Each structure stands twice: as C-alpha cells, then as structure tokens.
Amino acid sequence: MPREIRRSGHDATSHWFEWAVLWVVVGLLAFGLLSALHDASERAERLAVELTIRNMRTGMQLAMGEALMQQRESEIAAWVGNNPVHWMGSDPAGYRGECSAAESRELPAGAWCFDRDRRELVYRPRHTSHLRVPSADSGDRCNVLGWSVTRVPERMASGAFVGLKLAATADCRWVLGRS
C-alpha cells in the first residue's frame, strides 16, 4: 500500500497554531483572573474601611451614652472636631496619628491620619479605580476619604442638643456592587 507522504511544514504549522491558540486562551484566563483579583481586593478594602468607620461610630455612641448616664452631657458638645480613633479599642491598621494638612495630602496608600488643621480623619485608599464623586458628570475619581465629628443638626434635635455624628467630608463613593 502506498503511503501518503506528509510534508514537515504541515506538522510545524499545525503545532504552531495549536500553541498560539493555547497561549491566547491562557492569556485571556490570566487577564480575567487578575481583574477579578483586583476587584476582590478593592471590595475587601471598601469593607474594611466601612467596618472601621462603623466601629468608630459605635465607640462614639458608647462614649455619649456613658457621658449621659454620668450626667456629663455638657462634655459631649466639646467633642465636635475630636479624633474619632480615640473611641476605638485599638488604632486601625495603617493609622499614623495626627498630621498636618500638608502631611495628609502626602499620605501613602492604605494609611489613616487625623488632620489636626481641618479636624478630620483622613484615609488614602490603596485602590481608587471604583471610587467616584457621584454628583460629577465626568466620573472624577477620588483619592482621599475623610470624616469629621459634627453636631446633629438642630432641626433633627428639635432645638435641644442630642448628640454627635461621624460624617463623611468627601463626597466619594465606591461604585462596586454590594457583596
């Protein structure tokens, strides 16, 4: 029986094409996995920041309750502009203490500080690809988040001093889906 003779070029071309397809598929999978990893990292950072702020609010509410029970409500009004980290059991990861306005602008990613000039807590996120100013049509990104201890507005307090709140000073929001 006569055999058909194959040219060596056919095998080389066939293998080259198979390897090219394999590398394209592997590259697309790697890109997808890295993108998902980045999104998961940003979600984790958002949740850590939200939990830290929630813990500060809880600590502040406990301190206000304690002051009210001890009939020291006059002290509470003096807490406006205080560092909310003092109401936590421990400093948040990356906390650098008090800083000036200039130092807060140069804060490294993932760090917190209390800007004593503006009387606000500042955090510089590690990931900013999903942080936006909701009111801006341009979709501007935010690179610093801030919170300050303020009085509850008079209209909410019915004319009497009720308490304090920890309010965001920057109009930045993470536009990631809730997880």
Side-chain angles (χ1 to χ4, degrees):
M1 264 208 257
R3 286 190 167 178
E4 187 176 318
I5 300 174
R6 285 190 184 181
R7 290 182 239 137
S8 61
H10 170 72
D11 288 338
T13 304
S14 173
H15 290 299
W16 176 86
F17 182 73
E18 290 170 0
W19 280 105
V21 169
L22 175 69
W23 282 111
V24 166
V25 169
V26 168
L28 290 173
L29 283 174
F31 178 77
L33 287 174
L34 287 175
S35 177
L37 181 62
H38 178 73
D39 284 352
S41 179
E42 191 159 359
R43 286 175 197 272
E45 181 180 25
R46 183 200 74 207
L47 291 173
V49 169
E50 288 175 355
L51 182 60
T52 300
I53 296 302
R54 187 173 301 144
N55 286 339
M56 286 179 199
R57 285 186 176 128
T58 301
M60 183 175 67
Q61 289 169 347
L62 289 172
M64 285 190 298
E66 184 178 323
L68 288 171
M69 287 190 306
Q70 296 175 359
Q71 297 178 347
R72 297 180 290 121
E73 39 297 306
S74 60
E75 288 179 18
I76 297 173
W79 296 350
V80 172
N82 273 5
N83 186 349
V85 172
H86 295 305
W87 292 305
M88 291 183 68
S90 61
D91 294 346
Y95 182 66
R96 297 179 170 252
E98 290 192 4
C99 61
S100 67
E103 291 170 331
S104 71
R105 285 189 293 273
E106 300 300 321
L107 206 58
W112 298 82
C113 80
F114 181 72
D115 184 334
R116 63 182 165 267
D117 300 332
R118 293 184 303 193
R119 310 296 300 161
E120 73 178 17
L121 182 67
V122 178
Y123 176 72
R124 180 170 305 277
R126 288 181 184 92
H127 306 290
T128 59
S129 59
H130 290 95
L131 266 174
R132 301 278 188 273
V133 178
S135 60
D137 294 331
S138 63
D140 290 338
R141 287 189 186 179
C142 303
N143 60 357
V144 175
L145 302 174
W147 298 265
S148 65
V149 177
T150 61
R151 285 181 69 128
V152 173
E154 293 292 329
R155 66 182 187 286
M156 292 176 66
S158 303
F161 180 73
V162 170
L164 306 173
K165 66 179 183 173
L166 185 58
T169 57
D171 190 25
C172 296
R173 304 284 181 263
W174 261 290
V175 289
L176 291 166
R178 287 268 181 209
S179 56

